[in-house]
């Protein structure tokens, strides 16, 4: 099984920066897609950003330009650099990953989720 562990969350003032990291363990295969979701109090969970094994990235429109997702140096790791943080960025941030397997007749996807790390932006 794959276990995703997030780190780097904490308290930061508006305008500050944080870098989140996620590391996968318990797997010998590559994770095709890794990324981040977040869930703020009273709101639905939303996608933040994703990155494929080939380096293609996607961001939520409202976050593009402030957040940057990258692959870490270690295999199956991902980083999220968050700049110019706003109070509305306060949320629990969840790492996730997708493994895609293919056969001559079908394609299967397997999803994995971390436990989350709290990010609080406040004065």
């Amino acid at each position: 099984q794959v276990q995703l562990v997030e780190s780097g969350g904490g308290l930061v003032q508006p305008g500050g920066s944080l870098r989140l990291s996620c590391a996968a363990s318990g797997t010998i295969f590559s994770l095709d897609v890794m990324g981040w979701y977040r869930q703020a109090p009273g709101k639905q969970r939303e996608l933040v950003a994703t990155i494929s094994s080939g380096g293609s990235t996607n961001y939520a429109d409202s976050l593009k330009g402030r957040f940057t997702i990258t692959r870490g140096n270690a295999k199956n790791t991902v980083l999220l650099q968050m700049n110019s943080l706003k109070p509305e960025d306060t949320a629990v941030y969840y790492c996730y990953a997708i493994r895609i397997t293919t056969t001559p007749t079908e394609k299967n996807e397997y999803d994995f989720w971390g436990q989350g790390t709290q990010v609080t932006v406040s004065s």
Side-chain angles (χ1 to χ4, degrees), residues 16-85:
S17 299
L18 284 175
R19 187 174 71 175
L20 306 182
S21 64
C22 174
S25 63
T27 178
I28 61 173
F29 49 79
S30 297
L31 297 168
D32 297 281
V33 179
M34 298 189 73
W36 297 87
Y37 280 76
R38 70 181 185 183
Q39 187 166 24
K43 295 186 177 181
Q44 297 290 327
R45 185 173 58 183
E46 63 178 347
L47 187 144
V48 175
T50 63
I51 185 167
S52 72
S53 59
S56 298
T57 59
N58 286 285
Y59 297 89
D61 290 340
S62 62
L63 302 178
K64 193 171 185 178
R66 294 194 298 119
F67 288 16
T68 303
I69 188 169
T70 57
R71 290 272 184 169
N73 290 330
K75 293 182 179 179
N76 294 328
T77 61
V78 64
L79 308 175
L80 182 69
Q81 179 67 45
M82 305 185 294
N83 298 326
S84 301
L85 284 164

Side-chain angles (χ1 to χ4, degrees), residues 97-113:
I98 300 173
R99 184 196 179 200
I100 301 172
T101 62
T102 58
T103 69
T105 58
E106 65 181 356
K107 180 178 72 175
N108 294 318
E109 295 186 0
Y110 302 89
D111 299 338
F112 308 94
W113 292 90

